[in-house]
């Protein structure tokens, strides 16, 4: 399984994003484009970043009826992204429809992963707001297993959950894990964090890092530090 660092480009507009990516001379980080940037700039931002030679994780977290998700995935597949995602809460049928929509005529498709439970959801809000009265760990495992059954490639989860997910769904089932910080960084609004080296030891396949790289004094240096630590160097 390819291990890599994905840089969350949580910028509000194309200009700031290109300015940031322009700092990397020669190197082409795997980038994550989220809802803010995609809704601000539309599909053109994906085409442009792809044209510049970056791999793209398009993090739009789809959750709708299977037919709508299938048709939307066909559009995203045409944008030639490398990885995209859905909410596992959309059900196994919705995830199956997502795979169908994403698969191109030649049988190839971007990687598809599922969000299990957002890390902003805690046990209390899951029970009180969603009426899910199972322990969080069990819910994450169940949703990951549903994603595997639907044929998805992996899940977004906390690095703390990566080992359990691999034990349940196999080592080829990828774990993409945000909530990663350098030893010296403040945690910010991420509650449960790990360093790139700890995330590697925990079995993460891809780590997603935003602010520790985008807001660093020297983003290129921070990115290469993350790569080295995550590669175990
Ligand atoms: O800046 P930071 O490293 O916290 O960015 C993490 C990225 O991962 C953000 O784009 C955030 O939206 C995303 N994310 C997360 N927790 C999840 C899912 C996605 O932090 N459970």
């Amino acid at each position: 399984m390819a291990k890599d660092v994905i840089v969350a480009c949580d910028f509000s507009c194309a200009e700031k994003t290109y300015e940031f990516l322009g700092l990397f001379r020669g190197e082409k980080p795997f980038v994550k484009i989220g809802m803010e940037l995609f809704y601000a700039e539309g599909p053109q931002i994906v085409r442009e970043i792809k044209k510049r030679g970056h791999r793209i994780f398009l993090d739009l977290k789809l959750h709708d009826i299977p037919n709508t998700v299938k048709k939307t995935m066909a559009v995203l597949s045409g944008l030639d992204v490398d990885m995209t995602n859905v909410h596992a809460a959309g059900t196994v049928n919705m995830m199956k429809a997502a795979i169908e929509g994403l698969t191109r005529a030649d049988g190839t498709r971007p990687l598809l992963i599922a969000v299990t439970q957002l890390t902003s959801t805690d046990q209390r809000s899951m029970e009180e707001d969603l009426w899910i009265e199972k322990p969080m760990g069990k819910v994450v495992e169940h949703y990951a297993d549903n994603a595997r059954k639907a044929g998805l490639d992996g899940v977004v989860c906390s690095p703390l959950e990566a080992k359990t997910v691999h034990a349940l769904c196999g080592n080829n089932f990828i774990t993409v894990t945000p909530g990663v910080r350098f030893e010296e960084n403040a945690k910010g609004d991420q509650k449960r964090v790990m360093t790139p080296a700890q995330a590697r030891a925990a079995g993460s396949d891809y780590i997603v890092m935003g602010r520790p790289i985008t807001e660093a004094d020297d983003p290129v240096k921070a990115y290469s530090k993350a790569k080295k630590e995550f590669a175990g160097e």
Side-chain angles (χ1 to χ4, degrees):
M1 186 54 57
K3 300 243 172 200
D4 210 346
V5 176
I6 301 178
V7 183
C9 285
D10 293 323
F11 297 109
S12 56
C13 65
E15 201 186 346
K16 286 181 187 160
T17 311
Y18 299 151
E19 192 185 315
F20 170 74
L21 293 177
L23 299 171
F24 295 84
R25 303 192 179 276
E27 215 166 4
K28 300 287 178 186
F30 197 147
V31 305
K32 178 170 95 68
I33 299 176
M35 287 188 234
E36 183 188 9
L37 188 56
F38 189 78
Y39 290 140
E41 299 290 348
Q44 193 49 35
I45 186 86
V46 175
R47 295 192 190 99
E48 178 59 32
I49 294 178
K50 195 73 203 175
K51 204 166 79 189
R52 292 172 182 224
H54 297 268
R55 280 168 298 154
I56 297 178
F57 167 23
L58 189 55
D59 180 19
L60 299 182
K61 302 185 177 72
L62 268 59
H63 187 175
D64 208 318
I65 60 170
N67 186 57
T68 303
V69 169
K70 180 176 168 179
K71 289 182 169 171
T72 308
M73 281 298 176
V75 175
L76 301 186
S77 186
L79 283 178
D80 200 21
V81 298
D82 298 275
M83 183 189 289
T84 189
N85 59 359
V86 291
H87 270 284
T91 75
V92 172
N93 275 345
M94 191 206 76
M95 290 191 273
K96 283 184 179 166
I99 293 265
E100 279 179 40
L102 209 51
T103 307
R104 305 181 184 105
D106 64 1
T108 63
R109 65 167 174 80
L111 290 171
L112 183 65
I113 60 175
V115 176
T116 52
Q117 279 292 341
L118 292 171
T119 43
S120 51
T121 306
D122 60 12
Q123 186 69 36
R124 191 200 55 79
S125 54
M126 200 175 64
E127 287 178 14
E128 289 183 10
D129 301 350
L130 308 180
W131 279 18
I132 298 174
E133 294 181 341
K134 294 273 199 306
M136 176 64 79
K138 290 285 167 212
V139 175
V140 170
E141 283 176 31
H142 182 59
Y143 282 22
D145 201 42
N146 282 350
R148 182 196 58 78
K149 280 188 201 141
L152 269 67
D153 305 294
V155 288
V156 184
C157 63
S158 148
L160 296 159
E161 291 152 0
K163 274 219 165 80
T164 323
V165 168
H166 280 142
L168 184 72
C169 301
N171 279 333
N172 289 332
F173 193 73
I174 63 181
T175 51
V176 177
T177 66
V180 180
R181 292 286 175 269
F182 295 119
E183 197 69 58
E184 61 274 21
N185 283 147
K187 286 186 181 177
D189 53 1
Q190 296 281 14
K191 304 262 183 287
R192 300 183 304 156
V193 302
M194 280 193 180
T195 65
Q198 287 166 338
R200 175 195 167 80
S204 298
D205 297 303
Y206 293 88
I207 52 171
V208 176
M209 287 182 87
R211 290 161 293 180
I213 294 174
T214 57
E215 293 178 4
D217 291 337
D218 185 342
V220 179
K221 204 166 141 195
Y223 172 70
S224 96
K225 178 176 157 76
K227 290 270 285 187
K228 279 201 186 110
E229 272 193 33
F230 191 53
E233 289 168 16

